[in-house]
Amino acid sequence: MAIRNIVKFGDDILKKKSREVKKIDDRIICLLDDMRETLKLHNGVGLAAPQVGVLKRIAIVDTGDTILELINPEIICTEGEQTGAEGCLSFPGEYGLVTRPNIVKIRAMDRNGCMYEYTGEELTARAFCHEIEHLDGHLFSEHVTEWLEPEK
Ligand code: NI
């Protein structure tokens, strides 16, 4: 496993659409392992493959209990609304208020190629929306209604 460099805001790769994963090979497994290690190092909640320079539809989300691996994820349904502080490892130290659904159900594939569904609430729901958007070249900054003062 290895730590990967995180692409920062301003790099065009973050605005590109990622491609569907057709086959889970050793490179994908290695990418997932590296993304886990990179997320852990930065104490992040989620990380999408384009953030490490790979335009594939892959993201990981730490639910607090486990780290979910999302390959070709899709949002199936959403419910409610929450407004809170959101950040991104590609925008170090920057946080803004973003409104998201409070409950988000996704369908995705794991590293074994098995499809699963998962219903996330609150922070996990927020992370699902945030990470899946990265795969379409969209960033949380597009939704920020108010930028927050950096913590001293
Ligand atoms: Ni992000």
Side-chain angles (χ1 to χ4, degrees), residues 7 24-25 30 38 47 57-59 68-69 80 87 101 108 124 127 146-147:
V7 174
I24 300 169
D25 56 16
C30 177
T38 306
L47 184 66
R57 302 189 78 79
I58 296 176
L68 294 174
E69 298 178 342
T124 303
E146 187 188 338
W147 289 96

Side-chain angles (χ1 to χ4, degrees), residues 122-148:
E122 298 176 1
L123 186 57
T124 303
R126 179 177 291 283
F128 283 161
C129 296
H130 180 121
E131 301 314 329
I132 292 172
E133 271 185 0
H134 269 299
L135 307 182
D136 289 314
H138 290 290
L139 300 169
F140 87 111
S141 50
E142 296 166 34
H143 308 294
V144 170
T145 52
E146 187 188 338
W147 289 96
L148 302 171

Side-chain angles (χ1 to χ4, degrees), residues 3-101:
I3 301 292
R4 304 241 181 161
N5 283 327
I6 294 183
V7 174
K8 300 300 185 312
F9 173 67
D11 192 315
D12 271 352
I13 201 163
L14 292 176
K15 292 184 180 171
K16 291 184 177 161
K17 200 170 154 70
S18 292
R19 288 178 298 275
E20 195 183 331
V21 175
K22 295 264 166 62
K23 183 171 173 267
I24 300 169
D25 56 16
D26 288 349
R27 285 182 67 184
I28 302 284
I29 300 297
C30 177
L31 172 66
L32 285 164
D33 287 341
D34 290 354
M35 284 173 67
R36 280 171 173 267
E37 204 176 344
T38 306
L39 183 70
K40 200 172 160 190
L41 176 78
H42 294 282
N43 288 314
V45 176
L47 184 66
Q51 291 182 276
V52 294
V54 179
L55 287 170
K56 290 185 190 300
R57 302 189 78 79
I58 296 176
I60 58 172
V61 169
D62 187 346
T63 66
D65 295 325
T66 186
I67 294 179
L68 294 174
E69 298 178 342
L70 286 64
I71 301 172
N72 301 333
E74 280 179 82
I75 291 175
I76 305 169
C77 61
T78 66
E79 207 183 302
E81 199 179 273
Q82 58 173 322
T83 300
E86 192 167 316
C88 177
L89 293 179
S90 295
F91 293 68
E94 296 192 55
Y95 297 89
L97 290 181
V98 177
T99 299
R100 300 283 194 187

